[in-house]
Amino acid sequence: MIAKYYQFDIIINKPIICTEENNAIKLEGEVSSWQEVIIAGKVAAKSKYRGVINKITVKGITVPSFQRPNFTDNIIEGQRPDVLIIGGGVIGAAIARALSKWEIDLMLVEKECDVAMHASSRNDGMVHPGITHPGSLKAKMNIRGNEMFEDLAKELDVPFKRTGMFILFNSWLEYLFGSTFIIRNAKKNGAKGVKRVKVKEIRKIIPNIPSDIVGGVTAPTTGVCPPYEMTTALAENAIMNGLKLSLETAVINLVETNNEITKVITNRGTVYPKVVINAAGLFADEIAAMANDQFFTIHPRKGEIALLDKNKGDLLNTIVSQVSANLLKSDTKGGALVKTAEGNILVGPTAFEQPYKEDYSTDYTNINALLEVKLPIIKGIEKGDVITYLAGTRAATYKEDFIIEKSKKIKNLIYAAGIQSPGYASSPAIAEEIERITIQLLKEKREINKKKNFMSVRKGIPNLKLLSKQERGELISKRRDYGHIVCRCEEISKGEIIDAIHATIPALTLDAIKRRTRAGMGRCQGGFCTPLIAQIMVEETGKNMLELTKKGDGSNLVSKFTKS
Amino acid sequence: MEQFDIVIIGSGPAGLAAALEIEQSGLKQIIIERENRAGGILKQCIHDGFGLHRFKKRLTGPEYAELFLKRVIEKKIPIYKNTFVTEIIEMENKSYRLTLVNSEKSLFEIEAKALILANGCRERTAKQVFIQGTRPAGVYTAGTAQYFTNILGYLPCKKCVILGSGDIGLIMARRLTLEGAKVVGVYEVKDTPSGLSRNIAQCLDDFDIPLYLSKTVTKIHGDKRVEAVTVQKVDLNLNQIPGTEEIIACDGLILSVGLVPENELAKSLGVELDTHTKGPMVNQSLMTSKEGIFSCGNALHVHDLVDFVSESAEIAAKGGIRFVQNKGEEELIHVEFDEKSFLYIVPQKINLLDIEENIHFYFRSKKVLKNVSVVIRTGDTIIFKKFYHNMKPPEMETISVNLKNVLQNKEICFELKEGVST
Amino acid sequence: MKKMICIVCPKGCEMQVDVNDGISVVTGNACIRGKEFAINEILHPMRTFQSTVKTIFPELPMIPIKTDDVVPKEYLFQIIEEIAGIEIKDKLKCGDIIIQNILGTSVNIVSTVDMYLYF
């Protein structure tokens, strides 16, 4: 069926062919800019179809498929798990943890050399309050996820802080409309405690806001929790409960017969799962296409983030953003100043559409613009306080909502896709929902019971700096390496680094150690500690210095021994 | 809790020199060192050229450090190695309580009447100069590259671009080349080099390594390992000029883009900092705004030569000794200077009640100057004048003046005059 | 006429050497050492040399070394090759000779560290 969608001619002025596939609208054609691709997708999203498959290309731009490991072996060949989860981001890890409560054979494949390598280590770590998009799955999952987050973080030994959030306004008109809008959304969604606050009240909590602020809205349930730590903790806890985690394992193809996936072909062998869960983040659409079930396209919405020196951390103990009317209409909040659980102030993220899913480069103009807009929200922070910046991409669909469902076509495929902001906050709820769908599906085949010996508590690497002096002292007397400081900016000991190297999911790259321990995240950005950590890695893993990498294959720290 | 008269933080060239000075006074002292070996950054500065002023010899970094370390060991001055200062609290009796952490003694406290902060400086990073692009392996500060090359024996890259013509960057250009790497070029955002002329001659010119002025690295390419960098011309205001981008293939980017005094401990104590030096404000005995806390070496301001680092440490040590033995009164005045001419002047303050002896001033000019005179003025009277053929920001200048009975209206001001005018 | 920067001390004098009838006239130097350097630089440029050699000691896997006097500039890369295979098996003091008379220059490769101070 060819349905010519009338608005395209007006907006894009290029021939776009529309067809129907898997009950979704599929767009094809060639345009001259990525912006036009996005516009076409957005227009199509307003149709009654359940999704938009956007195959429109841009003249001169080739969008690459996902990067995958450049080796093959047979390490998982012939495995027959009950459930195979594709993707080791926070969503895949949370699902793994939820499903590990059950007596099933569970496997997770992740193409990178560690979990949380994409969006899950490239976001602001904010646990949103759920004040946007009433009626959406986003709203529903966000509210439930926020409720679950604190207990989950406690069980998994991940720092969580319910910091609350303040949205500031500097014009009475915007304040009137903006606050009404937010409070109405919050009520519809069921977000608790969202209300207007007077400037005087705000100043009690954030003394150094600009003088032109007329009022604000508070969302007290908002929290922060380091996303890479949460992802690692979820995956480690799942492993404690039987999950098989296979890293550097990319799905090359899915073999589908009679609307059922029979084989999953990876670079490390072919797997024969009963149920497949697509939690492949930015590449969930490519995985769907492998199963001939594509009904959505992920368009990567990039965001850039800047981090400030910890020594300015005391200037903010909550989350603050300043909203103007046009931001309220956009798909994301457009960034804030976030006091992270680690103690830094984080600025961002920005949001803009671009074609590359794994391009995490930052741009001078964007970072500059971000800082110019956001830094003035608090007096006393400046450009010179920036210690690092990074980029991530949100896995957005054109419908701009989560896809959490069993495939309408493939009997044993389940989707946790299109998980963008507030995906992190929603992750425990998404996992809960996927757990329900999966168990229901498995129960159609055989009886499934909950594990009697499920271990819900996981202990992380101790963060000695945060302990009381007495506790810290006692730990050092037990493990001398805890007394040897290696990272001077974040005060991380050799013991903590050794713990990370030998953890349930071993940290075997410099970046993995940084994500686990924060060593190298401070103001010197690893200048002093990188060679010291490299030496510890050599001692603990028996590897040669030349084999060590920053983030897996091809990212070697050093090039050559000088005296050979 | 063990009590000390003076605690020195850092056992680099500053800390060791301070300790030897204090030793002569008989006061009880200790050095705290966070690394496993004393010597500070000199351990990895294996090139020569150290000690020309002080010892009239061309020493390498380790040799210079050892001249001090040997005596420190002979005199049995205690050093806590692998020991980290996690907190310093000012006590009611005006002494300082330090919480230290190490493997042997776990978490423990000591108390000191005076502190000498000799904990050096750190390097500015790629992010602090706002280089954009990806975050692959192969981007190192010159100091990190130096550690890999000289301490561990590994080349951090095979073919690299160096950003910044600071001395460490120049020295590393030569080291990497000698050890078998290719240095494609050294790029400097300013229109004059940041390092000493002789290092340009012996580290770059000797090896035909080109130096590009008014050009900077703006972007890093490569996901896993550096594959290339974008370099771009800048105008006189250091703004990037669009359309001048060039992509240079390389597998490493080494940064020598400036040093910043490490002053986190000073900040935590509420010590007043100088926006010019980024180190503490001090008086002529190098005491900070906090009584009993002294700062010296590169923690105070970044020096060009280690000889002056040792010298400043000795001044701070003498100040510390006097402070412990006889807490003197202070009447402070600010040292004024022409901000258009000078980058900074240390000390920033003069204690008028302590001007018996000569005062050592350290300063740098803001730009390259020829045939100028530094003039110290009090009221309308010129009390000191010195002529310089050349004055360059990379070269720290030092002068020694006696201010006894000459200061009028409690005022002192540094000025630069062109030419040899009288 | 040849222009050069003096590398003898951090002052870095900009010097000029004019050779007339085999006699070198140096200008721009601030001291006698500069003049000597300039004349040498015209006839046979000499440089100091520093590098590292490997050891068998894990506490100090590399030690810094230097030539105990200047060597011809063109020898630098040859010396690097000469020292590549060296492995220090005994503890050395600062100044201890590692290679005598390197490449026939009558200059020695010596340790610049006292290993006894470290372990």
Side-chain angles (χ1 to χ4, degrees):
Chain A
M1 181 188 112
I2 297 180
K4 191 159 187 269
Y5 214 74
Y6 71 98
Q7 288 178 334
F8 289 141
D9 286 349
I10 306 160
I11 299 165
I12 299 177
N13 197 23
K14 298 261 168 40
I16 302 291
I17 299 162
C18 304
T19 51
E20 188 186 316
E21 193 175 301
N22 296 323
N23 299 113
I25 179 169
K26 182 177 177 182
L27 312 177
E28 284 168 296
E30 190 185 77
V31 294
S32 51
S33 77
W34 186 254
Q35 218 42 51
E36 290 177 335
V37 175
I38 299 295
I39 291 168
K42 285 192 178 208
V43 171
K46 287 182 185 147
S47 70
K48 62 184 189 311
Y49 293 97
R50 70 160 170 150
V52 178
I53 309 167
N54 193 343
K55 297 275 184 193
I56 300 171
T57 55
V58 180
K59 206 173 173 167
I61 292 182
T62 333
V63 179
S65 180
F66 55 88
Q67 290 178 19
R68 56 200 81 189
N70 58 1
F71 68 92
T72 54
D73 62 22
N74 284 317
I75 206 138
I76 54 167
E77 176 62 39
Q79 298 239 22
R80 297 178 171 277
D82 292 311
V83 178
L84 177 76
I85 301 162
I86 303 171
V90 72
I91 301 300
I95 292 169
R97 199 259 181 177
L99 284 173
S100 71
K101 292 171 194 159
W102 296 84
E103 293 280 3
I104 53 172
D105 188 356
L106 191 59
M107 181 178 233
L108 188 151
V109 289
E110 162 56 49
K111 73 185 181 80
E112 304 295 341
C113 64
D114 194 9
V115 294
M117 287 283 271
H118 291 271
S120 303
S121 58
R122 299 169 171 281
N123 67 71
D124 58 10
M126 186 166 150
V127 181
H128 294 70
I131 53 172
T132 55
H133 305 89
S136 65
L137 261 180
K138 274 182 178 176
K140 191 177 152 197
M141 293 294 142
N142 189 164
I143 296 289
R144 173 80 182 125
N146 183 301
E147 283 167 8
M148 297 169 76
F149 226 99
E150 192 164 6
D151 288 343
L152 184 65
K154 207 170 278 168
E155 279 187 325
L156 299 177
D157 197 16
V158 184
F160 171 88
K161 276 186 193 144
R162 206 171 284 286
T163 52
M165 174 170 68
F166 291 87
I167 303 163
L168 310 183
F169 297 84
N170 60 5
S171 107
W172 286 106
L173 195 68
E174 280 172 8
Y175 183 34
L176 183 67
F177 287 106
S179 60
T180 309
F181 181 74
I182 293 168
I183 290 164
R184 198 176 56 206
N185 279 354
K187 257 200 195 108
K188 279 186 195 161
N189 292 350
K192 287 176 194 139
V194 179
K195 59 176 193 212
R196 288 188 189 89
V197 267
K198 293 200 173 97
V199 177
K200 209 167 71 185
E201 298 302 310
I202 301 170
R203 280 196 199 279
K204 279 185 196 160
I205 291 156
I206 323 167
N208 35 9
I209 53 169
S211 50
D212 62 348
I213 297 300
V214 296
V217 173
T218 173
T221 59
T222 315
V224 289
C225 184
Y228 32 87
E229 280 191 47
M230 184 46 125
T231 308
T232 311
L234 286 163
E236 287 193 344
N237 188 225
I239 291 170
M240 287 164 61
N241 290 296
L243 168 75
K244 289 176 210 155
L245 170 68
S246 188
L247 296 170
E248 295 184 288
T249 308
V251 172
I252 310 296
N253 210 350
L254 300 175
V255 178
E256 174 249 276
T257 0
N258 299 327
N259 290 335
E260 189 155 9
I261 296 167
T262 51
K263 288 184 202 175
V264 177
I265 302 163
T266 78
N267 61 313
R268 312 199 75 173
T270 299
V271 188
Y272 305 84
K274 291 197 182 69
V275 174
V276 175
I277 296 171
N278 180 355
L282 290 157
F283 300 102
D285 53 350
E286 289 189 38
I287 296 293
M290 288 179 193
N292 303 316
D293 189 33
Q294 189 177 357
F295 61 94
F296 60 92
T297 288
I298 303 287
H299 57 100
R301 190 183 296 128
K302 193 166 171 174
E304 285 160 297
I305 286 172
L307 267 174
L308 308 187
D309 196 315
K310 244 182 193 174
N311 61 27
K312 291 288 171 83
D314 287 343
L315 291 176
L316 182 69
N317 285 307
T318 176
I319 298 168
V320 61
S321 66
Q322 199 175 327
V323 174
S324 57
N326 54 348
L327 271 173
L328 289 173
K329 284 181 264 163
S330 84
D331 292 315
T332 58
K333 286 190 304 44
L337 295 176
V338 179
K339 174 69 169 288
T340 65
E342 294 93 324
N344 304 78
I345 295 176
L346 176 153
V347 191
T350 56
F352 61 96
E353 300 290 345
Q354 53 84 59
Y356 307 104
K357 290 179 175 177
E358 289 177 294
D359 176 4
Y360 297 129
S361 62
T362 52
D363 179 83
Y364 187 77
T365 323
N366 295 340
I367 291 280
N368 245 344
L370 172 73
L371 296 175
E372 264 163 39
V373 175
K374 301 293 173 197
L375 293 186
I377 300 178
I378 296 186
K379 279 179 264 176
I381 52 176
E382 54 192 39
K383 223 177 141 184
D385 296 322
V386 173
I387 56 165
T388 190
Y389 31 87
L390 57 136
T393 38
R394 303 166 181 89
T397 66
Y398 287 98
K399 287 280 183 186
E400 299 290 353
D401 202 0
F402 299 160
I403 300 168
I404 304 165
E405 61 191 41
K406 186 175 151 315
S407 164
K408 303 254 186 307
K409 179 175 166 189
I410 308 293
K411 289 177 220 157
N412 61 344
L413 178 60
I414 296 166
Y415 286 100
I419 312 297
Q420 52 155 308
S421 179
Y424 178 50
S426 308
S427 56
I430 295 171
E432 187 181 56
E433 182 62 10
I434 296 286
E435 176 193 353
R436 191 188 59 75
I437 299 169
T438 311
I439 296 303
Q440 197 178 7
L441 190 61
L442 283 171
K443 276 185 174 167
E444 288 169 14
K445 301 184 184 187
R446 67 171 169 92
E447 198 187 301
I448 308 281
N449 291 308
K450 278 210 168 172
K451 275 180 191 146
K452 289 195 183 74
N453 54 354
F454 173 71
M455 291 172 278
S456 65
V457 175
R458 168 253 185 203
K459 208 71 200 122
I461 300 165
N463 187 339
L464 275 88
K465 167 85 175 150
L466 300 181
L467 298 177
S468 72
K469 281 184 187 174
Q470 199 193 339
E471 284 176 299
R472 188 175 179 183
E474 279 167 13
L475 263 182
I476 299 170
S477 348
K478 278 187 223 144
R479 268 275 305 280
R480 294 292 166 190
D481 287 333
Y482 285 141
H484 182 176
I485 301 299
V486 172
C487 165
R488 56 176 79 166
C489 305
E490 296 288 308
E491 227 177 293
I492 308 299
S493 67
K494 184 177 180 180
E496 290 160 81
I497 290 163
I498 292 175
D499 284 354
I501 295 172
H502 299 300
T504 307
I505 304 175
L508 298 175
T509 65
L510 190 71
D511 281 358
I513 289 174
K514 178 162 102 174
R515 284 193 296 272
R516 303 290 195 287
T517 64
R518 299 161 198 192
M521 271 191 196
R523 63 184 66 88
C524 89
Q525 286 289 295
F528 288 113
C529 66
T530 296
L532 305 179
I533 295 172
Q535 282 169 279
I536 298 170
M537 287 165 84
V538 168
E539 283 167 25
E540 295 297 315
T541 63
K543 281 188 187 168
N544 183 299
M545 187 71 74
L546 292 166
E547 297 171 274
L548 302 181
T549 67
K550 182 173 190 285
K551 43 171 144 173
D553 231 16
S555 63
N556 300 63
L557 292 182
V558 294
S559 301
K560 187 178 167 279
F561 185 56
T562 55
K563 300 296 179 307
S564 53
Chain B
M1 190 188 319
E2 204 168 354
Q3 315 270 337
F4 294 91
D5 292 312
I6 303 180
V7 169
I8 301 169
I9 300 172
S11 71
L16 294 175
L20 290 173
E21 188 67 41
I22 291 164
E23 206 273 332
Q24 295 176 31
S25 72
L27 291 180
K28 188 180 177 190
Q29 64 166 326
I30 189 152
I31 308 175
I32 313 292
E33 169 54 52
R34 60 187 153 201
E35 291 188 55
N36 61 354
R37 285 160 60 190
I41 205 71
L42 288 177
K43 295 192 296 291
Q44 65 187 60
C45 300
I46 66 163
H47 55 282
D48 72 356
F50 299 94
L52 277 164
H53 277 264
R54 197 180 175 100
F55 300 107
K56 310 291 172 223
K57 277 197 247 178
R58 285 181 79 124
L59 301 167
T60 67
E63 288 172 328
Y64 185 96
E66 249 171 57
L67 285 180
F68 291 82
L69 182 57
K70 269 217 168 97
R71 282 167 57 210
V72 165
I73 293 172
E74 275 167 23
K75 305 277 184 195
K76 300 196 166 56
I77 301 171
I79 307 181
Y80 281 151
K81 282 183 234 167
N82 281 323
T83 302
F84 194 85
V85 181
T86 181
E87 189 184 66
I88 305 179
I89 299 173
E90 189 180 355
M91 307 302 286
E92 273 178 21
N93 63 358
K94 291 280 175 195
S95 68
Y96 294 94
R97 179 177 293 178
L98 292 83
T99 307
L100 309 176
V101 55
N102 70 21
S103 295
E104 289 87 49
K105 305 180 82 166
S106 190
L107 211 67
F108 62 108
E109 291 175 340
I110 59 172
E111 221 167 81
K113 292 182 189 137
L115 283 176
I116 295 183
L117 304 177
N119 47 333
C121 58
R122 67 186 146 81
E123 297 175 280
R124 293 216 294 158
T125 66
K127 303 292 174 180
Q128 282 163 335
V129 292
F130 285 89
I131 297 177
Q132 306 292 332
T134 52
R135 308 207 295 172
V139 181
Y140 294 113
T141 57
T144 310
Q146 194 177 42
Y147 192 104
F148 272 121
T149 313
N150 294 349
I151 303 284
L152 300 178
Y154 288 90
L155 278 177
C157 50
K158 287 183 175 148
K159 182 183 177 191
C160 71
V161 160
I162 296 181
L163 176 63
S165 58
D167 286 312
I168 326 166
L170 302 175
I171 297 287
M172 278 317 290
R174 176 175 65 180
R175 282 292 298 135
L176 293 170
T177 308
L178 263 178
E179 297 294 348
K182 164 93 184 149
V183 177
V184 190
V186 175
Y187 292 81
E188 170 59 54
V189 70
K190 291 186 292 240
D191 58 357
T192 53
S194 298
L196 299 172
S197 307
R198 75 158 176 172
N199 284 335
I200 305 225
Q202 63 180 349
C203 298
L204 302 188
D205 299 349
D206 271 6
F207 300 95
D208 298 319
I209 300 167
L211 169 64
Y212 302 96
L213 297 174
S214 298
K215 270 191 177 186
T216 189
V217 173
T218 53
K219 204 169 175 184
I220 298 168
H221 306 266
D223 284 328
K224 295 282 191 174
R225 178 88 203 179
V226 176
E227 288 165 15
V229 295
T230 299
V231 298
Q232 206 169 344
K233 282 188 190 159
V234 298
D235 62 22
L236 288 174
N237 299 320
L238 307 187
N239 294 318
Q240 298 160 15
I241 303 172
T244 61
E245 296 89 347
E246 261 178 275
I247 292 179
I248 315 272
C250 58
D251 74 343
L253 171 65
I254 309 291
L255 294 127
S256 171
V257 288
L259 302 168
V260 190
E262 183 114 70
N263 47 38
E264 294 315 308
L265 282 175
K267 269 188 199 169
S268 77
L269 286 161
V271 163
E272 193 185 350
L273 297 181
D274 181 353
T275 52
H276 302 93
T277 60
K278 315 269 187 238
M281 300 269 235
V282 289
N283 66 19
Q284 65 267 42
S285 35
L286 307 188
M287 186 164 89
T288 67
S289 61
K290 281 270 174 199
E291 263 194 15
I293 296 183
F294 295 79
S295 174
C296 59
N298 284 351
L300 174 59
H301 63 108
V302 176
H303 293 61
D304 59 343
L305 302 177
V306 70
D307 310 61
F308 297 122
V309 166
S310 306
E311 183 184 270
S312 81
E314 285 156 356
I315 295 170
K318 282 184 189 132
I321 296 162
R322 274 206 308 278
F323 176 83
V324 171
Q325 289 173 340
N326 164 36
K327 285 189 194 192
E329 293 291 301
E330 273 196 301
E331 186 190 346
L332 293 171
I333 58 163
H334 269 275
V335 177
E336 310 289 333
F337 66 89
D338 176 7
E339 295 205 14
K340 283 198 285 278
S341 307
F342 297 98
L343 269 179
Y344 65 77
I345 292 185
V346 174
Q348 296 89 343
K349 294 173 186 182
I350 302 291
N351 178 9
L352 294 177
L353 307 180
D354 182 23
I355 51 172
E356 289 294 312
E357 289 172 25
N358 271 20
I359 294 176
H360 290 264
F361 287 98
Y362 302 91
F363 60 91
R364 288 175 193 257
S365 69
K366 200 152 195 176
K367 46 185 188 259
V368 176
L369 298 165
K370 281 191 185 300
N371 301 324
V372 286
S373 293
V374 170
V375 171
I376 306 178
R377 185 174 55 74
T378 179
D380 292 332
T381 318
I382 289 173
I383 49 174
F384 179 89
K385 189 169 179 181
K386 188 175 175 186
F387 176 75
Y388 293 84
H389 281 289
N390 289 298
M391 206 179 256
K392 303 170 187 172
E395 289 166 29
M396 192 189 82
E397 302 291 347
T398 159
I399 51 180
S400 177
V401 197
N402 197 309
L403 297 178
K404 197 183 171 187
N405 302 329
V406 293
L407 290 183
Q408 299 172 359
N409 307 327
K410 298 182 176 174
E411 185 202 32
I412 176 168
C413 183
F414 275 65
E415 286 164 3
L416 262 182
K417 300 263 187 253
E418 300 222 356
V420 205
S421 68
T422 46
Chain C
M1 185 198 84
K2 193 176 155 74
K3 285 190 171 180
M4 65 183 73
I5 303 275
C6 182
I7 63 169
V8 176
C9 87
K11 210 171 154 98
C13 291
E14 290 169 36
M15 304 188 294
Q16 192 170 313
V17 187
D18 293 286
V19 185
N20 294 320
D21 301 327
I23 300 164
S24 302
V25 180
V26 182
T27 48
N29 59 308
C31 73
I32 182 75
R33 290 179 303 164
K35 188 175 174 183
E36 284 166 20
F37 169 80
I39 292 168
N40 260 331
E41 196 67 1
I42 296 279
L43 302 171
H44 44 88
M46 304 291 276
R47 293 289 182 270
T48 59
F49 169 91
Q50 305 87 31
S51 181
T52 59
V53 293
K54 59 182 179 251
T55 79
I56 59 162
F57 304 102
E59 303 91 333
L60 210 59
M62 311 297 291
I63 58 158
I65 55 103
K66 69 171 186 183
T67 53
D68 59 7
D69 202 348
V70 289
V71 290
K73 186 173 152 184
E74 66 271 21
Y75 281 18
L76 296 181
F77 284 99
Q78 285 178 56
I79 300 176
I80 277 283
E81 278 175 35
E82 290 291 313
I83 62 166
I86 302 266
E87 189 173 51
I88 303 296
K89 296 191 173 71
D90 301 304
K91 283 191 191 180
L92 298 178
K93 290 200 152 176
C94 195
D96 281 359
I97 293 174
I98 297 168
I99 304 178
Q100 216 150 17
N101 187 20
I102 183 98
L103 297 170
T105 53
S106 76
V107 168
N108 307 312
I109 298 284
V110 298
S111 166
T112 61
V113 74
D114 183 344
M115 294 164 75
Y116 289 89
L117 287 181
Y118 296 118
F119 55 95

